Amino acid sequence: MAQPHQLLLPFAIVQGQPLIEPPKGLYIPPNALKVLLTDFEGPLDLLSFLIRKNKFDIRDIPVFDIACQYQHYIDLMQQLDIELAGEYLFMAAWLTEIKSRMLLPKPPQNDENSDEPDDPRTELMQKLIEYEAYQKGAQWLDGLKIVGRDLWPIRLEVEPPASLAPVLSLDDLFTAMEQVYQRARSRSAHQVVEEAIEISDKIDWILQQITDQPVSLIGLLVLKEGKPGLVVTFIALLELLRQQMIELEQNQAYDEILIRRAA
């Protein structure tokens, strides 16, 4: 039984050919290989990272500790031979100035309304607060759904239907026209007109017809007035009964209704 052995991994691939062992006499300078850490997007980003890391209050920054850690990061970048931007050097000088102004005694102020703030950290803290607001806004925007990254709309390519010419005969046209005519005839318009019989006139007429003796309700109906007269008479009787000007009497169910003038 053959003994298992470990296969050698290629040292490099040059022009598609793997190299198992490095070439003899190969010299690699010490600074040829560099490991670049994640860079910060400017000095404010670095300061914000240091404040969050140390859990400092952004409105009460310990400038001495922050300046020391910031200077340590600058030295580390210089040791790794990373080209520093002028903004990082300007921030280092600014922190040094703030630290020195906080250590030195304050000169007496003759003018009470001086525009210079008492705390030299005020401007830096304001810039950091604004930067934190921009960062939160950018994170909120990045969390939104983006078409092409989080959402992919569905697109269906549908071929347009072929144009079909309707096949109609003269009889079909006559049949359709007849159906339209029948539907038009089935619709009747109701016209509302003003009634010729006034309720006030009917009330006066009923008061003239009734006395202390009971009068039949049917006797108060005028046949030539038709349904409108029946409705107006009924409404007039209800109004007279509401005003307690008449009395209604019915001895048994379904008997004739008698009307007399109220006492």
Side-chain angles (χ1 to χ4, degrees), residues 56-103:
F56 292 146
D57 185 5
I58 196 172
R59 300 181 184 275
D60 187 14
I61 304 173
V63 179
F64 182 80
D65 298 337
I66 291 295
C68 293
Q69 296 185 29
Y70 188 88
Q71 187 64 38
H72 176 71
Y73 180 79
I74 295 294
D75 297 339
L76 178 61
M77 293 175 68
Q78 290 178 347
Q79 292 176 8
L80 295 175
D81 197 14
I82 299 176
E83 183 179 358
L84 290 176
E87 298 176 353
Y88 288 92
L89 299 178
F90 174 77
M91 182 59 68
W94 193 10
L95 289 174
T96 304
E97 179 190 0
I98 294 176
K99 182 171 64 174
S100 62
R101 290 175 60 185
M102 294 184 68
L103 292 176

Side-chain angles (χ1 to χ4, degrees), residues 2-205:
Q3 294 295 331
H5 60 280
Q6 178 68 34
L7 297 178
L8 297 178
L9 297 176
F11 174 75
I13 298 178
V14 179
Q15 296 181 357
Q17 300 297 328
L19 297 178
I20 304 301
E21 296 180 357
K24 296 180 180 180
L26 178 63
Y27 172 72
I28 301 177
N31 295 331
L33 300 178
K34 296 182 180 180
V35 179
L36 298 181
L37 303 177
T38 303
D39 295 334
F40 294 96
E41 298 178 357
L44 288 178
D45 194 11
L46 174 57
L47 286 179
S48 178
F49 167 75
L50 294 176
I51 291 173
R52 291 196 303 268
K53 180 181 177 181
N54 295 277
K55 298 181 180 179
F56 292 146
D57 185 5
I58 196 172
R59 300 181 184 275
D60 187 14
I61 304 173
V63 179
F64 182 80
D65 298 337
I66 291 295
C68 293
Q69 296 185 29
Y70 188 88
Q71 187 64 38
H72 176 71
Y73 180 79
I74 295 294
D75 297 339
L76 178 61
M77 293 175 68
Q78 290 178 347
Q79 292 176 8
L80 295 175
D81 197 14
I82 299 176
E83 183 179 358
L84 290 176
E87 298 176 353
Y88 288 92
L89 299 178
F90 174 77
M91 182 59 68
W94 193 10
L95 289 174
T96 304
E97 179 190 0
I98 294 176
K99 182 171 64 174
S100 62
R101 290 175 60 185
M102 294 184 68
L103 292 176
L104 294 176
K106 298 180 181 180
Q109 296 182 359
N110 298 328
D111 189 3
E112 297 180 356
N113 298 326
S114 178
D115 296 335
E116 184 178 358
D118 296 336
D119 194 346
R121 304 171 297 174
T122 303
E123 185 178 358
L124 177 60
M125 290 187 295
Q126 184 64 30
K127 289 184 177 295
L128 285 172
I129 292 173
E130 293 177 358
Y131 184 77
E132 289 285 343
Y134 285 128
Q135 274 192 329
K136 292 181 181 179
Q139 293 175 0
W140 177 79
L141 290 175
D142 187 63
L144 298 178
K145 302 295 183 181
I146 300 178
V147 177
R149 188 191 71 176
D150 306 311
L151 302 175
W152 289 268
I154 300 176
R155 297 180 180 179
L156 299 177
E157 296 182 359
V158 181
E159 297 182 358
S163 58
L164 301 177
V167 180
L168 296 176
S169 62
L170 189 59
D171 295 338
D172 295 334
L173 292 177
F174 280 126
T175 304
M177 189 63 188
E178 184 179 359
Q179 292 176 358
V180 172
Y181 179 70
Q182 293 295 336
R183 287 197 300 269
R185 291 185 58 186
S186 62
R187 297 178 181 177
S188 58
H190 177 69
Q191 185 177 3
V192 179
V193 296
E194 184 179 359
E195 297 292 344
I197 307 174
E198 296 289 342
I199 297 178
S200 58
D201 297 339
K202 180 61 68 172
I203 291 176
D204 296 338
W205 183 81

